[in-house]
Amino acid sequence: MVETDGDDAYVVRPVGRVASPLTDAASAPRQGDEGAPTAWLIFDPQVEQALADLSAGAELLVLTWLDRARRDVLTVHPRGDETCPRTGVFSTRSPHRPNPIGLHRVRVLAVDGLRVEVADLEALDGTPVLDVKPVLGPPDER
Amino acid sequence: MVETDGDDAYVVRPVGRVASPLTDAASAPRQGDEGAPTAWLIFDPQVEQALADLSAGAELLVLTWLDRARRDVLTVHPRGDETCPRTGVFSTRSPHRPNPIGLHRVRVLAVDGLRVEVADLEALDGTPVLDVKPVLGPPDER
């Protein structure tokens, strides 16, 4: 049971999970376009209608819950490089932050029912998926 | 008190709020680059260190909790246009989705302590802010 103290908190529930050969944060690329392997998003049956219009070639933003991150970290050395000065996490992509929501730009390779194969996803195996959004083109193409 | 039923849920807590002249979803622009007014992000004192490196000119992604959205909607008519076929929400930017997390690209105009003035934010006044991330440049500039 998760309990919170009042109105000033909201509950997110995973709509699926990442399936990936990446299992260890230390060996994962820091961003998806820095050598991430092909991965799958495995969605829950309850959201089947929400993903009905995904198709190969789509460019998506995947929001995840970085369940192995720390929430009590406000400053980090960027990219884990101790020669970089400590920087506020809102100016970095560190997974460690008050609400550890990951944001990943991926490309859909294939869709097979509730399973969506994607390129460029650096999230670890088992990471909860919270949301998927299309990448927006220029205003005149919306 | 928010109660959830087990491991498969996570609690997000606002790190600040949006202050904006926009108070009504019906009259707000659908995206920030479609005519949003200047707005402010008002951060909580607890996260002061996290925002210490934000400065005017920075391009940011702001994650919000769309507290006036519905969570039981899986398909919508894109942009509210009933002549568009119903589309799965993971292929749209509709605020109505299982985890109503908003994603907004903004530009910092000014920083005044815990208050950050931004352009291109279409979120409504009072919307909780969950996270702020920098827009990433090309890999060789990281």
Side-chain angles (χ1 to χ4, degrees):
Chain A
M1 182 85 78
V2 178
E3 294 187 356
T4 73
D5 55 357
D7 295 339
D8 226 29
Y10 304 95
V11 173
V12 292
R13 294 187 180 82
V15 295
R17 299 266 167 188
V18 171
S20 169
L22 296 174
T23 55
D24 173 28
S27 59
R30 290 185 175 274
Q31 299 299 333
D33 57 3
E34 298 177 15
T38 294
W40 291 83
L41 308 175
I42 314 292
F43 288 95
D44 294 343
Q46 296 95 310
V47 297
E48 184 172 11
Q49 287 182 286
L51 61 110
D53 295 284
L54 300 183
S55 59
E59 299 273 341
L60 301 177
L61 298 168
V62 178
L63 278 64
T64 60
W65 185 259
L66 301 169
D67 55 348
R68 280 150 276 195
R70 289 176 54 189
R71 304 186 68 167
D72 59 348
V73 171
L74 297 176
T75 66
V76 295
H77 295 290
R79 299 178 67 85
D81 179 348
E82 302 226 342
T83 67
C84 291
R86 279 202 163 272
T87 303
V89 292
F90 293 164
S91 297
T92 84
R93 288 293 190 105
S94 171
H96 310 298
R97 51 210 308 122
N99 291 302
I101 298 170
L103 178 64
H104 319 267
R105 182 171 175 155
V106 306
R107 184 165 40 89
V108 176
L109 299 174
V111 178
D112 175 17
L114 293 168
R115 297 162 49 87
V116 176
E117 187 180 25
V118 297
D120 297 335
L121 180 61
E122 84 284 11
L124 299 181
D125 187 58
T127 298
V129 174
L130 299 182
D131 195 14
V132 174
K133 300 180 191 292
V135 173
L136 290 180
D140 60 358
E141 295 175 10
R142 285 174 198 163
Chain B
M1 182 85 79
V2 178
E3 293 187 356
T4 74
D5 55 357
D7 295 339
D8 227 27
Y10 303 96
V11 174
V12 292
R13 295 185 179 84
V15 295
R17 299 266 168 187
V18 172
S20 169
L22 295 173
T23 56
D24 173 27
S27 60
R30 291 185 176 273
Q31 300 298 333
D33 57 3
E34 298 177 16
T38 295
W40 291 84
L41 308 175
I42 314 293
F43 289 95
D44 294 342
Q46 296 95 310
V47 297
E48 184 172 11
Q49 287 183 284
L51 61 108
D53 295 284
L54 300 183
S55 58
E59 298 274 341
L60 301 178
L61 297 168
V62 178
L63 279 65
T64 60
W65 186 258
L66 301 169
D67 55 347
R68 279 150 278 195
R70 289 177 53 188
R71 304 186 67 166
D72 59 348
V73 171
L74 297 176
T75 65
V76 295
H77 296 290
R79 299 178 67 85
D81 179 349
E82 301 227 342
T83 67
C84 291
R86 286 199 88 85
T87 303
V89 292
F90 292 164
S91 296
T92 84
R93 288 293 189 104
S94 170
H96 310 297
R97 50 209 311 121
N99 291 303
I101 298 170
L103 178 64
H104 319 267
R105 182 171 173 155
V106 305
R107 185 165 39 88
V108 175
L109 299 174
V111 178
D112 175 17
L114 294 168
R115 297 162 50 89
V116 177
E117 187 180 26
V118 298
D120 297 337
L121 180 61
E122 83 285 12
L124 300 181
D125 188 57
T127 298
V129 174
L130 299 182
D131 196 14
V132 174
K133 300 179 192 290
V135 172
L136 290 180
D140 61 359
E141 294 174 11
R142 286 172 198 163

